[in-house]
Amino acid sequence: MDEDIPLLVIVDGANVVGSVPDGWWRDRRGAAERLRDRLAANGVPGLADGAEIVLVVEGAARGVEPVPGVRVEAAPGSGDDHIVELVQRAAGRAVLVVTADRELRHRVTQRGAQVTGPRSVRG
């Protein structure tokens, strides 16, 4: 892997937002925006600065806008399928996927990505 290319961090927005029962279901888009803002402000704790962060949103969270430091991708269908596609497109690059979804973790590790859980970005 090319060490000059920054780490790609793909965040499963629905899974991370849903990992804490804080009322997110009343405003899915607002919850995704709060996660995006937290990622923009704090990055991923424990990782060197310079990682490229991609927040994948789906369903009612579509329409969340990107901000400096966080690219937002609205999945046209399944968020999990879109994350797998992003991992495949990044072949040869170091990729970290943030999710607790067991099936998704399996799918992306088969394609060379590393995984970590929602706590790594929830603060």
Side-chain angles (χ1 to χ4, degrees), residues 53-104:
I53 300 174
V54 178
L55 174 62
V56 176
V57 296
E58 60 185 297
R62 284 189 190 101
V64 171
E65 296 293 326
V67 295
V70 180
R71 186 173 96 220
V72 178
E73 293 241 354
S78 159
D80 291 0
D81 290 346
H82 192 67
I83 290 168
V84 170
E85 181 183 322
L86 291 173
V87 169
Q88 286 178 277
R89 279 195 246 153
R93 182 176 181 186
V95 178
L96 177 67
V97 176
V98 181
T99 187
D101 182 305
R102 286 185 188 159
E103 181 182 339
L104 178 58

Side-chain angles (χ1 to χ4, degrees), residues 23-53:
W24 59 264
W25 52 89
R26 291 188 293 269
D27 182 10
R28 293 170 195 257
R29 184 172 173 172
E33 288 171 338
R34 288 187 296 279
L35 173 58
R36 176 207 58 201
D37 294 347
R38 187 177 320 114
L39 291 167
N42 304 326
V44 179
L47 294 182
D49 290 338
E52 178 184 354
I53 300 174

Side-chain angles (χ1 to χ4, degrees), residues 6 11 19 27 57 74 79 86 105 107 117-118 123:
V11 180
S19 68
D27 182 10
V57 296
L86 291 173
R105 290 169 77 98
R107 291 173 67 192

